Amino acid sequence: MAAEKKHYMTEEGKRKLEDELQQLITVRRKEVVERIKVARSFGDLSENSEYDSAKEEQAFVEGRIAQLEKMIRNAVMIEATTTEDHVVSLGKTVRLVELPDGEEEEYTIVGSAESDPLDGKISNDSPMARSLLGKTVNDKAVVNTPGGELEVKILEIR
């Protein structure tokens, strides 16, 4: 049997997953069961779109519950303080500048379970994070993007 994938996350990220799991188990699961009961009361299930829809939602909810339980069970906590302060690693926030145009950006490198690029949290599996990991302040990194290579310079790590 293959080893299960580790899910790197911060304490905050794990807490969010646990909250989502709790909500799915205690609220959404019961709502879906109720929708199925109501849809069954409409009679013939072979042409009952409400029933089909409720069963699809039930499959989604149960799948997400299983996914969250697995992620939480295989969580590896990111402790930014356990690595050197001057090296880019999981849990660190990196301020960088795109070369040559000088546009500054800031990212926190997190596990895939809690990545949210719109909030500045990028997965350690992303091309940007992979190119930054292990680098120090003033290092340059080349990021392979769908639009071509992008060169960045690290300004700050915290």
Side-chain angles (χ1 to χ4, degrees), residues 2 7 10-12 17 25 27 41 46 52 57 60 64-65 68 77 89 96-97 112 129 131 139 148-149:
H7 295 280
T10 61
E11 193 63 46
E12 174 190 1
L17 292 180
I25 290 171
V27 178
S41 72
S46 64
D52 292 340
E57 185 178 358
F60 172 80
R64 182 65 178 157
I65 288 171
L68 290 171
M77 303 313 297
S89 61
L96 53 88
V97 62
S112 59
S131 68
D139 280 354
E149 289 185 342

PDB file of all heavy atoms in Angstrom, residues 2 7 10-12 17 25 27 41 46 52 57 60 64-65 68 77 89 96-97 112 129 131 139 148-149:
ATOM      1  N   ALA A   2       0.599   2.176  -0.865  1.00  0.00           N
ATOM      2  CA  ALA A   2       1.390   3.396  -0.972  1.00  0.00           C
ATOM      3  C   ALA A   2       1.146   4.295   0.234  1.00  0.00           C
ATOM      4  O   ALA A   2       0.050   4.314   0.802  1.00  0.00           O
ATOM      5  CB  ALA A   2       1.032   4.141  -2.257  1.00  0.00           C
ATOM      6  N   HIS A   7       0.037  16.443   4.030  1.00  0.00           N
ATOM      7  CA  HIS A   7      -0.578  17.737   3.757  1.00  0.00           C
ATOM      8  C   HIS A   7       0.030  18.761   4.713  1.00  0.00           C
ATOM      9  O   HIS A   7      -0.266  18.747   5.913  1.00  0.00           O
ATOM     10  CB  HIS A   7      -2.095  17.675   3.922  1.00  0.00           C
ATOM     11  CG  HIS A   7      -2.755  16.783   2.930  1.00  0.00           C
ATOM     12  ND1 HIS A   7      -3.026  17.177   1.644  1.00  0.00           N
ATOM     13  CD2 HIS A   7      -3.162  15.496   3.019  1.00  0.00           C
ATOM     14  CE1 HIS A   7      -3.584  16.178   0.990  1.00  0.00           C
ATOM     15  NE2 HIS A   7      -3.671  15.143   1.805  1.00  0.00           N
ATOM     16  N   THR A  10      -0.490  25.222   8.184  1.00  0.00           N
ATOM     17  CA  THR A  10      -0.283  25.967   9.417  1.00  0.00           C
ATOM     18  C   THR A  10      -1.369  25.565  10.408  1.00  0.00           C
ATOM     19  O   THR A  10      -2.359  24.912  10.048  1.00  0.00           O
ATOM     20  CB  THR A  10      -0.377  27.488   9.161  1.00  0.00           C
ATOM     21  OG1 THR A  10      -1.685  27.789   8.672  1.00  0.00           O
ATOM     22  CG2 THR A  10       0.683  27.953   8.169  1.00  0.00           C
ATOM     23  N   GLU A  11      -1.206  25.969  11.631  1.00  0.00           N
ATOM     24  CA  GLU A  11      -2.224  25.706  12.650  1.00  0.00           C
ATOM     25  C   GLU A  11      -3.550  26.345  12.248  1.00  0.00           C
ATOM     26  O   GLU A  11      -4.615  25.740  12.393  1.00  0.00           O
ATOM     27  CB  GLU A  11      -1.751  26.246  14.014  1.00  0.00           C
ATOM     28  CG  GLU A  11      -2.571  25.758  15.181  1.00  0.00           C
ATOM     29  CD  GLU A  11      -2.504  24.251  15.384  1.00  0.00           C
ATOM     30  OE1 GLU A  11      -1.409  23.680  15.339  1.00  0.00           O
ATOM     31  OE2 GLU A  11      -3.583  23.647  15.599  1.00  0.00           O
ATOM     32  N   GLU A  12      -3.487  27.566  11.698  1.00  0.00           N
ATOM     33  CA  GLU A  12      -4.690  28.263  11.248  1.00  0.00           C
ATOM     34  C   GLU A  12      -5.366  27.497  10.115  1.00  0.00           C
ATOM     35  O   GLU A  12      -6.590  27.336  10.088  1.00  0.00           O
ATOM     36  CB  GLU A  12      -4.334  29.677  10.769  1.00  0.00           C
ATOM     37  CG  GLU A  12      -5.483  30.427  10.154  1.00  0.00           C
ATOM     38  CD  GLU A  12      -5.055  31.724   9.478  1.00  0.00           C
ATOM     39  OE1 GLU A  12      -3.859  32.051   9.455  1.00  0.00           O
ATOM     40  OE2 GLU A  12      -5.947  32.406   8.950  1.00  0.00           O
ATOM     41  N   LEU A  17      -9.846  23.809   8.208  1.00  0.00           N
ATOM     42  CA  LEU A  17     -10.314  22.522   7.675  1.00  0.00           C
ATOM     43  C   LEU A  17     -11.182  21.799   8.705  1.00  0.00           C
ATOM     44  O   LEU A  17     -12.215  21.214   8.355  1.00  0.00           O
ATOM     45  CB  LEU A  17      -9.132  21.640   7.283  1.00  0.00           C
ATOM     46  CG  LEU A  17      -8.299  22.104   6.096  1.00  0.00           C
ATOM     47  CD1 LEU A  17      -7.162  21.118   5.833  1.00  0.00           C
ATOM     48  CD2 LEU A  17      -9.143  22.292   4.853  1.00  0.00           C
ATOM     49  N   ILE A  25     -20.429  17.859   8.679  1.00  0.00           N
ATOM     50  CA  ILE A  25     -20.971  16.713   9.412  1.00  0.00           C
ATOM     51  C   ILE A  25     -22.232  17.082  10.185  1.00  0.00           C
ATOM     52  O   ILE A  25     -23.221  16.351  10.160  1.00  0.00           O
ATOM     53  CB  ILE A  25     -19.904  16.128  10.366  1.00  0.00           C
ATOM     54  CG1 ILE A  25     -18.801  15.449   9.548  1.00  0.00           C
ATOM     55  CG2 ILE A  25     -20.520  15.149  11.355  1.00  0.00           C
ATOM     56  CD1 ILE A  25     -17.590  15.019  10.357  1.00  0.00           C
ATOM     57  N   VAL A  27     -24.182  20.015   9.952  1.00  0.00           N
ATOM     58  CA  VAL A  27     -25.235  20.820   9.324  1.00  0.00           C
ATOM     59  C   VAL A  27     -25.580  20.305   7.924  1.00  0.00           C
ATOM     60  O   VAL A  27     -26.700  19.884   7.669  1.00  0.00           O
ATOM     61  CB  VAL A  27     -24.819  22.314   9.265  1.00  0.00           C
ATOM     62  CG1 VAL A  27     -25.883  23.145   8.561  1.00  0.00           C
ATOM     63  CG2 VAL A  27     -24.565  22.852  10.657  1.00  0.00           C
ATOM     64  N   SER A  41     -40.705  11.759  -1.167  1.00  0.00           N
ATOM     65  CA  SER A  41     -42.150  11.891  -0.970  1.00  0.00           C
ATOM     66  C   SER A  41     -42.874  12.312  -2.240  1.00  0.00           C
ATOM     67  O   SER A  41     -44.091  12.192  -2.331  1.00  0.00           O
ATOM     68  CB  SER A  41     -42.445  12.893   0.151  1.00  0.00           C
ATOM     69  OG  SER A  41     -42.160  14.210  -0.282  1.00  0.00           O
ATOM     70  N   SER A  46     -37.548   7.510 -10.602  1.00  0.00           N
ATOM     71  CA  SER A  46     -36.872   7.399 -11.895  1.00  0.00           C
ATOM     72  C   SER A  46     -36.886   8.715 -12.675  1.00  0.00           C
ATOM     73  O   SER A  46     -36.014   8.944 -13.509  1.00  0.00           O
ATOM     74  CB  SER A  46     -37.503   6.285 -12.741  1.00  0.00           C
ATOM     75  OG  SER A  46     -38.840   6.609 -13.052  1.00  0.00           O
ATOM     76  N   ASP A  52     -32.558  13.249  -7.655  1.00  0.00           N
ATOM     77  CA  ASP A  52     -31.238  13.127  -8.293  1.00  0.00           C
ATOM     78  C   ASP A  52     -30.295  14.220  -7.809  1.00  0.00           C
ATOM     79  O   ASP A  52     -29.126  13.972  -7.506  1.00  0.00           O
ATOM     80  CB  ASP A  52     -31.371  13.188  -9.816  1.00  0.00           C
ATOM     81  CG  ASP A  52     -32.082  11.976 -10.385  1.00  0.00           C
ATOM     82  OD1 ASP A  52     -32.146  10.926  -9.698  1.00  0.00           O
ATOM     83  OD2 ASP A  52     -32.582  12.076 -11.529  1.00  0.00           O
ATOM     84  N   GLU A  57     -25.717  15.968  -4.403  1.00  0.00           N
ATOM     85  CA  GLU A  57     -25.185  16.805  -3.327  1.00  0.00           C
ATOM     86  C   GLU A  57     -24.674  15.938  -2.184  1.00  0.00           C
ATOM     87  O   GLU A  57     -23.637  16.216  -1.589  1.00  0.00           O
ATOM     88  CB  GLU A  57     -26.246  17.781  -2.820  1.00  0.00           C
ATOM     89  CG  GLU A  57     -25.676  18.740  -1.776  1.00  0.00           C
ATOM     90  CD  GLU A  57     -26.677  19.761  -1.273  1.00  0.00           C
ATOM     91  OE1 GLU A  57     -27.825  19.785  -1.737  1.00  0.00           O
ATOM     92  OE2 GLU A  57     -26.294  20.533  -0.379  1.00  0.00           O
ATOM     93  N   PHE A  60     -21.322  14.638  -3.081  1.00  0.00           N
ATOM     94  CA  PHE A  60     -20.318  15.693  -2.952  1.00  0.00           C
ATOM     95  C   PHE A  60     -19.945  15.914  -1.491  1.00  0.00           C
ATOM     96  O   PHE A  60     -18.766  15.974  -1.138  1.00  0.00           O
ATOM     97  CB  PHE A  60     -20.827  17.001  -3.574  1.00  0.00           C
ATOM     98  CG  PHE A  60     -19.917  18.161  -3.288  1.00  0.00           C
ATOM     99  CD1 PHE A  60     -18.757  18.349  -4.024  1.00  0.00           C
ATOM    100  CD2 PHE A  60     -20.203  19.048  -2.258  1.00  0.00           C
ATOM    101  CE1 PHE A  60     -17.896  19.405  -3.742  1.00  0.00           C
ATOM    102  CE2 PHE A  60     -19.354  20.102  -1.969  1.00  0.00           C
ATOM    103  CZ  PHE A  60     -18.196  20.284  -2.711  1.00  0.00           C
ATOM    104  N   ARG A  64     -16.335  15.244   0.187  1.00  0.00           N
ATOM    105  CA  ARG A  64     -15.568  16.324   0.827  1.00  0.00           C
ATOM    106  C   ARG A  64     -15.243  15.965   2.275  1.00  0.00           C
ATOM    107  O   ARG A  64     -14.142  16.249   2.750  1.00  0.00           O
ATOM    108  CB  ARG A  64     -16.346  17.639   0.749  1.00  0.00           C
ATOM    109  CG  ARG A  64     -15.621  18.831   1.328  1.00  0.00           C
ATOM    110  CD  ARG A  64     -14.376  19.195   0.557  1.00  0.00           C
ATOM    111  NE  ARG A  64     -13.761  20.382   1.152  1.00  0.00           N
ATOM    112  CZ  ARG A  64     -12.491  20.709   1.025  1.00  0.00           C
ATOM    113  NH1 ARG A  64     -11.682  19.975   0.282  1.00  0.00           N
ATOM    114  NH2 ARG A  64     -12.014  21.789   1.609  1.00  0.00           N
ATOM    115  N   ILE A  65     -16.165  15.342   2.977  1.00  0.00           N
ATOM    116  CA  ILE A  65     -15.909  14.899   4.355  1.00  0.00           C
ATOM    117  C   ILE A  65     -14.737  13.931   4.363  1.00  0.00           C
ATOM    118  O   ILE A  65     -13.804  14.069   5.165  1.00  0.00           O
ATOM    119  CB  ILE A  65     -17.170  14.270   4.987  1.00  0.00           C
ATOM    120  CG1 ILE A  65     -18.204  15.355   5.302  1.00  0.00           C
ATOM    121  CG2 ILE A  65     -16.821  13.476   6.247  1.00  0.00           C
ATOM    122  CD1 ILE A  65     -19.566  14.828   5.730  1.00  0.00           C
ATOM    123  N   LEU A  68     -11.467  15.842   3.646  1.00  0.00           N
ATOM    124  CA  LEU A  68     -11.020  16.642   4.789  1.00  0.00           C
ATOM    125  C   LEU A  68     -10.470  15.762   5.907  1.00  0.00           C
ATOM    126  O   LEU A  68      -9.445  16.086   6.512  1.00  0.00           O
ATOM    127  CB  LEU A  68     -12.168  17.512   5.320  1.00  0.00           C
ATOM    128  CG  LEU A  68     -12.594  18.670   4.424  1.00  0.00           C
ATOM    129  CD1 LEU A  68     -13.868  19.306   4.957  1.00  0.00           C
ATOM    130  CD2 LEU A  68     -11.493  19.696   4.280  1.00  0.00           C
ATOM    131  N   MET A  77       2.331  19.785  10.418  1.00  0.00           N
ATOM    132  CA  MET A  77       2.248  21.185  10.810  1.00  0.00           C
ATOM    133  C   MET A  77       3.492  21.960  10.380  1.00  0.00           C
ATOM    134  O   MET A  77       4.616  21.497  10.563  1.00  0.00           O
ATOM    135  CB  MET A  77       2.034  21.311  12.323  1.00  0.00           C
ATOM    136  CG  MET A  77       0.788  20.581  12.817  1.00  0.00           C
ATOM    137  SD  MET A  77      -0.710  20.889  11.848  1.00  0.00           S
ATOM    138  CE  MET A  77      -0.920  22.615  12.118  1.00  0.00           C
ATOM    139  N   SER A  89      11.219  28.988   3.169  1.00  0.00           N
ATOM    140  CA  SER A  89      10.725  27.647   3.471  1.00  0.00           C
ATOM    141  C   SER A  89       9.223  27.729   3.727  1.00  0.00           C
ATOM    142  O   SER A  89       8.641  28.816   3.744  1.00  0.00           O
ATOM    143  CB  SER A  89      11.456  27.067   4.685  1.00  0.00           C
ATOM    144  OG  SER A  89      11.236  27.886   5.815  1.00  0.00           O
ATOM    145  N   LEU A  96       9.106  39.978  -2.811  1.00  0.00           N
ATOM    146  CA  LEU A  96      10.013  39.895  -3.950  1.00  0.00           C
ATOM    147  C   LEU A  96       9.658  40.952  -4.973  1.00  0.00           C
ATOM    148  O   LEU A  96       8.611  41.580  -4.904  1.00  0.00           O
ATOM    149  CB  LEU A  96       9.969  38.490  -4.561  1.00  0.00           C
ATOM    150  CG  LEU A  96       8.600  37.932  -4.941  1.00  0.00           C
ATOM    151  CD1 LEU A  96       8.221  38.331  -6.355  1.00  0.00           C
ATOM    152  CD2 LEU A  96       8.607  36.429  -4.814  1.00  0.00           C
ATOM    153  N   VAL A  97      10.572  41.141  -5.914  1.00  0.00           N
ATOM    154  CA  VAL A  97      10.342  42.098  -6.990  1.00  0.00           C
ATOM    155  C   VAL A  97      10.548  41.362  -8.309  1.00  0.00           C
ATOM    156  O   VAL A  97      11.466  40.555  -8.444  1.00  0.00           O
ATOM    157  CB  VAL A  97      11.265  43.337  -6.868  1.00  0.00           C
ATOM    158  CG1 VAL A  97      12.734  42.947  -6.966  1.00  0.00           C
ATOM    159  CG2 VAL A  97      10.920  44.392  -7.899  1.00  0.00           C
ATOM    160  N   SER A 112      -0.548  22.793   0.021  1.00  0.00           N
ATOM    161  CA  SER A 112      -1.611  22.882  -0.977  1.00  0.00           C
ATOM    162  C   SER A 112      -3.004  22.927  -0.344  1.00  0.00           C
ATOM    163  O   SER A 112      -3.920  23.490  -0.925  1.00  0.00           O
ATOM    164  CB  SER A 112      -1.511  21.720  -1.964  1.00  0.00           C
ATOM    165  OG  SER A 112      -1.600  20.483  -1.287  1.00  0.00           O
ATOM    166  N   ALA A 129       6.620  28.958  -5.766  1.00  0.00           N
ATOM    167  CA  ALA A 129       7.167  28.498  -4.482  1.00  0.00           C
ATOM    168  C   ALA A 129       8.347  27.564  -4.698  1.00  0.00           C
ATOM    169  O   ALA A 129       9.368  27.674  -4.008  1.00  0.00           O
ATOM    170  CB  ALA A 129       6.088  27.811  -3.658  1.00  0.00           C
ATOM    171  N   SER A 131      10.461  27.533  -7.026  1.00  0.00           N
ATOM    172  CA  SER A 131      11.658  28.279  -7.435  1.00  0.00           C
ATOM    173  C   SER A 131      12.239  29.101  -6.285  1.00  0.00           C
ATOM    174  O   SER A 131      13.423  29.444  -6.304  1.00  0.00           O
ATOM    175  CB  SER A 131      11.349  29.184  -8.624  1.00  0.00           C
ATOM    176  OG  SER A 131      10.475  30.219  -8.245  1.00  0.00           O
ATOM    177  N   ASP A 139      18.776  36.777  -3.362  1.00  0.00           N
ATOM    178  CA  ASP A 139      18.897  35.739  -4.389  1.00  0.00           C
ATOM    179  C   ASP A 139      17.896  36.026  -5.497  1.00  0.00           C
ATOM    180  O   ASP A 139      16.826  36.602  -5.262  1.00  0.00           O
ATOM    181  CB  ASP A 139      18.584  34.349  -3.819  1.00  0.00           C
ATOM    182  CG  ASP A 139      19.746  33.742  -3.062  1.00  0.00           C
ATOM    183  OD1 ASP A 139      20.844  34.341  -3.059  1.00  0.00           O
ATOM    184  OD2 ASP A 139      19.547  32.658  -2.480  1.00  0.00           O
ATOM    185  N   GLY A 148       5.918  31.979 -20.026  1.00  0.00           N
ATOM    186  CA  GLY A 148       7.371  32.049 -20.192  1.00  0.00           C
ATOM    187  C   GLY A 148       8.064  32.195 -18.855  1.00  0.00           C
ATOM    188  O   GLY A 148       7.445  32.144 -17.800  1.00  0.00           O
ATOM    189  N   GLU A 149       9.368  32.395 -18.911  1.00  0.00           N
ATOM    190  CA  GLU A 149      10.152  32.520 -17.680  1.00  0.00           C
ATOM    191  C   GLU A 149       9.999  33.912 -17.078  1.00  0.00           C
ATOM    192  O   GLU A 149       9.928  34.904 -17.787  1.00  0.00           O
ATOM    193  CB  GLU A 149      11.624  32.236 -17.957  1.00  0.00           C
ATOM    194  CG  GLU A 149      11.888  30.783 -18.250  1.00  0.00           C
ATOM    195  CD  GLU A 149      13.376  30.482 -18.397  1.00  0.00           C
ATOM    196  OE1 GLU A 149      14.174  31.418 -18.603  1.00  0.00           O
ATOM    197  OE2 GLU A 149      13.726  29.296 -18.295  1.00  0.00           O
TER     198      GLU A 149
END
